[in-house]
Amino acid sequence: MSDSRKPADEYVVIRHRPGYRLRRSLILLGFTVVAAVAGYAAGLAQGGFRFSSAEASAEHLLDQVETLQEQYREARQSLINLERGRAIDEQALREARNTMVGLETRISELEADLTFYRNIMAPSETSKGLQVDSFTVTPARSDGTYDFKMVLTQVGNNKSYISGLVAVNVIGTQEGEKEVIALRDLSDEIDDLGVKFRFRYFQDIEGTLRLPDGFAPYEIQVVAQAEGRKASQSERTFDWKDLTEN
């Protein structure tokens, strides 16, 4: 009888193995799914962490860009302010220099005028009576045409008027030959050999002269002749080059 049970027992055991294996397979499958889900969740979490880090880096870079842009705007505005300031400073400097030049020129003119009047009112012993004080020429618009101005003074004894004639000669060369030309031949404003004057302290005589073509001047001779009770003569020669270079 024992022999007849063995097969039954063995059959029962064999019949229960498939269910055990199924349960075992299901359990293993469950662990696998859980592990897979856990791994996926871990992957999502890790991916989310990397995304958060990249987003933070982008925000940081954006903050830096905005900071640099603000610094650029400030630097550009500073440059504009400096350029404006420099332009203002340069303009103010130019104006100040021009003012200084003008003041220096005016001071020089006033000092010259002061010396001029002092010489008239309180002359030295060697410079009294009628004097040819100065002669100037200035190029005009037309070639060979010049504006001229001469100043006659009465130095010292100027309680009464002095009168007379002043003659002007331009000395130069033409075609290699020396030539002396009277002012009346160079100016349409003068008809006589001399220009009349009458003054107490000083007198300016102005006009325009035109040099002939091919004429090269090198001197101007001025001779003033007083008439009457104060009869006297004053003569002075001016270098043309010195006159035109001033």
Side-chain angles (χ1 to χ4, degrees):
M1 290 182 67
S2 59
D3 294 335
S4 60
R5 293 174 182 167
K6 287 181 181 179
D9 293 338
E10 290 177 1
Y11 177 76
V12 171
V13 172
I14 292 172
R15 287 180 62 186
H16 288 286
R17 283 181 180 176
Y20 173 78
R21 290 179 179 176
L22 179 59
R23 288 193 299 271
R24 184 179 179 183
S25 297
L26 291 174
I27 292 171
L28 291 175
L29 180 60
F31 277 115
T32 302
V33 172
V34 170
V37 172
Y40 180 75
L44 289 177
Q46 186 176 4
F49 175 76
R50 287 196 297 267
F51 178 78
S52 299
S53 298
E55 186 177 13
S57 299
E59 291 177 354
H60 179 66
L61 290 175
L62 183 60
D63 292 339
Q64 286 184 337
V65 169
E66 292 177 352
T67 301
L68 290 175
Q69 288 177 343
E70 182 64 23
Q71 292 178 354
Y72 173 78
R73 286 191 293 270
E74 293 176 357
R76 183 175 178 81
Q77 187 61 45
S78 298
L79 178 60
I80 293 174
N81 294 337
L82 288 174
E83 288 178 348
R84 288 177 179 174
R86 183 182 64 181
I88 293 173
D89 291 342
E90 289 180 352
Q91 181 178 358
L93 183 59
R94 286 194 298 269
E95 291 178 354
R97 286 177 176 172
N98 292 336
T99 300
M100 291 177 63
V101 171
L103 289 174
E104 290 176 352
T105 302
R106 183 55 181 161
I107 290 173
S108 178
E109 291 175 350
L110 291 175
E111 289 179 344
D113 292 343
L114 181 60
T115 302
F116 175 77
Y117 286 110
R118 281 178 176 173
N119 290 337
I120 292 176
M121 303 305 298
S124 63
E125 292 297 328
T126 58
S127 59
K128 289 184 178 181
L130 178 63
Q131 301 289 326
V132 178
D133 182 78
S134 63
F135 192 99
T136 59
V137 292
T138 305
R141 294 183 179 180
S142 301
D143 293 339
T145 303
Y146 298 84
D147 296 326
F148 70 87
K149 177 181 178 180
M150 56 180 163
V151 180
L152 305 178
T153 62
Q154 180 178 207
V155 180
N157 185 16
N158 43 37
K159 293 181 181 180
S160 60
Y161 285 87
I162 187 172
S163 60
L165 294 173
V166 57
V168 178
N169 296 317
V170 180
I171 304 171
T173 59
Q174 190 166 25
E175 296 180 355
E177 298 293 331
K178 180 179 179 180
E179 187 170 351
V180 179
I181 304 177
L183 184 59
R184 72 170 182 177
D185 296 329
L186 302 175
S187 177
D188 297 334
E189 303 163 350
I190 301 174
D191 297 327
D192 299 328
L193 289 176
V195 179
K196 293 182 179 181
F197 63 82
R198 184 176 185 275
F199 61 91
R200 182 177 177 184
Y201 296 101
F202 67 92
Q203 182 174 341
D204 297 339
I205 299 174
E206 300 179 0
T208 302
L209 62 87
R210 180 177 179 82
L211 300 177
D213 294 338
F215 180 78
Y218 59 82
E219 283 183 343
I220 290 183
Q221 182 185 50
V222 181
V223 180
Q225 179 69 51
E227 301 171 346
R229 188 169 56 88
K230 291 187 175 182
S232 61
Q233 180 176 306
S234 177
E235 181 178 341
R236 189 171 177 183
T237 301
F238 300 89
D239 187 273
W240 180 270
K241 185 177 180 181
D242 294 339
L243 293 178
T244 54
E245 286 183 350
N246 294 335

